Amino acid sequence: MAYAEKRGKGDRPWRARYKKPDGTLGSEPGFRLKSAAEDWGEEQEARIRAGTWIDPDLMRTHFGVFARKFMAEREKRGRTMEKRWEHLEKRILPRWENAPLIGITWFDVDGWQMLLPCDDVTRGHTVSFMSTVLTAAVDARYLPQNPLQGRRRTAAAVSAPTIVKPRASEEDEAYTPEQALLVAERLGPAKGLHVITTAFTGINWGEGVGMHRDACLLTRRQKWENGWFECPTLRIVQEVAEYQDRGPNGERLPTALRLEPTKNPWRVRDLDLPPFLARLWRHHLADWPYEWPLSTENGKWWRRSNWLKQLRPAADGRPERQKRQGVSARAKWEPIAPGMTMRSLRHLHDSLQSQIGVKAPLEYEQAGHKRAGIKAVYQHPTPEMRQERLDGLEEIYWRAMSNVGMRAHWGRVDLVKRTSRS
């Protein structure tokens, strides 16, 4: 049974004593009256009997302490962990590191997020992750409830009229197949093939770097009328992730490059290759000696920073460089597609699919996107859909080649336009 003890002579001399679930005595000081301490202790024992009790000492755990426990025990994919640490270190911990879990209120969090020096989407992600940590604290019985659960953020007030910034989708540059081909030509066979493959299949950066040669030029075979539809494919089952590695206590380690499963189940897919692209891949695999076809010249996985050193001058242009001691001459390159990235090439592929009217079941499958609604259950890609897509991409490619006056790639792969289905 709970009881009260008098400790000292201050204005709050009483403390509550109660029996914890493990049989040890719990203690809570700071009561003015003996009766108040007894009532509090009896309330704890009632909650223990009801199975709803939470240790007050755990509720006073600092947010930073529990957040690090959460990160250590809830391992996710590398890039996800990197983003979570970024939310913690840049925004959350500077304000909430030493805040007791039980002392965090929605009123304070909402006021804090309004003043964060970042865009509103990032504010939302930051608060969402903080709520995830607090939900875990509830699950671990550190808190009775998450004060952030289900709350709607207050938008930051605008103190003065400003020019409205366009949405990201309205800012993105819409690149063309012609630009992709010209940039690929500058990059040379292996790097250029990566650009063309991204533009005409929608493969993402990590998927391309992490694709093994055993997954290349497989064959899709599907019943079609009185025969079979067949086409070459690239199989996506994994990707290379580059991220800031962390030790058990969150300490920074060297940047890691690791193979991981795809981001979600819908990213596991076979990419159908138009005839021109299948032929480029056959040429490439015939003389590429490494197991990773879209790797560096030494067969290693690309780091994003090193890849950008190749892509940026090819797309943005570069000045002429005169020959001097220890430095070779370099011709000037005019800009072709300023700002082009591998992500924008993935956008190009999705735009081309819409342009040629690719049907929704196949459009979502080839992009690696989840399709919402009941149609995702009932509709499936048919051979006719696949052939229409391949014919459309083939036509776009040859039209782009004609527009830029090209017949061959890199002076070594001469393509003959295909005129029949096979």
Side-chain angles (χ1 to χ4, degrees), residues 143-209:
L143 278 178
Q145 61 184 12
N146 175 3
L148 278 55
Q149 184 71 38
R151 304 306 296 267
R152 187 180 183 87
R153 292 184 304 116
T154 303
V158 179
S159 58
T162 60
I163 297 175
V164 177
K165 183 179 179 181
R167 292 165 49 194
S169 60
E170 296 169 346
E171 285 186 319
D172 287 349
E173 182 69 31
Y175 296 99
T176 66
E178 288 81 0
Q179 289 172 306
L181 294 178
L182 290 173
V183 169
E185 187 68 17
R186 279 182 174 175
L187 287 170
K191 292 175 281 190
L193 179 62
H194 197 167
V195 166
I196 295 174
T197 301
T198 304
F200 284 89
T201 68
I203 192 171
N204 77 16
W205 167 254
E207 293 167 349
V209 176

Side-chain angles (χ1 to χ4, degrees), residues 199-332:
F200 284 89
T201 68
I203 192 171
N204 77 16
W205 167 254
E207 293 167 349
V209 176
M211 185 168 52
H212 194 274
R213 69 183 300 129
D214 291 345
C216 301
L217 295 185
L218 305 179
T219 300
R220 182 190 298 282
R221 196 165 189 264
Q222 191 172 352
K223 188 70 176 176
W224 190 15
E225 297 177 351
N226 294 325
W228 295 90
F229 167 83
E230 292 185 350
C231 75
T233 66
L234 302 176
R235 178 160 294 170
I236 306 303
V237 295
Q238 61 193 11
E239 60 183 87
V240 169
E242 180 179 358
Y243 53 89
Q244 175 66 61
D245 210 359
R246 300 279 181 159
N249 297 314
E251 64 272 21
R252 291 174 177 266
L253 301 175
T255 303
L257 277 178
R258 292 198 180 99
L259 271 180
E260 292 187 345
T262 56
K263 184 176 181 180
N264 55 54
W266 301 277
R267 291 290 179 89
V268 177
R269 64 202 189 280
D270 285 344
L271 300 172
D272 298 343
L273 299 183
F276 82 87
L277 192 51
R279 188 169 184 187
L280 286 176
W281 270 91
R282 281 193 289 271
H283 280 278
H284 178 61
L285 292 175
D287 61 8
W288 189 253
Y290 305 114
E291 60 180 331
W292 309 105
L294 300 180
S295 58
T296 69
E297 287 144 353
N298 297 321
K300 306 296 183 182
W301 293 326
W302 280 104
R303 290 187 180 272
R304 289 176 183 267
S305 58
N306 291 337
W307 173 259
L308 287 175
K309 292 176 183 177
Q310 310 295 316
L311 180 61
R312 289 274 54 82
D316 301 347
R318 70 184 185 193
E320 181 183 9
R321 186 173 67 192
Q322 299 294 331
K323 182 178 180 179
R324 60 182 186 275
Q325 186 174 0
V327 179
S328 61
R330 187 179 69 186
K332 180 180 180 180

Side-chain angles (χ1 to χ4, degrees), residues 119-160:
D119 60 86
D120 193 61
V121 172
T122 302
R123 292 190 193 104
H125 290 166
T126 300
V127 174
S128 177
F129 177 59
M130 188 173 178
S131 180
T132 298
V133 174
L134 292 176
T135 295
V138 174
D139 294 340
R141 299 187 71 84
Y142 279 64
L143 278 178
Q145 61 184 12
N146 175 3
L148 278 55
Q149 184 71 38
R151 304 306 296 267
R152 187 180 183 87
R153 292 184 304 116
T154 303
V158 179
S159 58

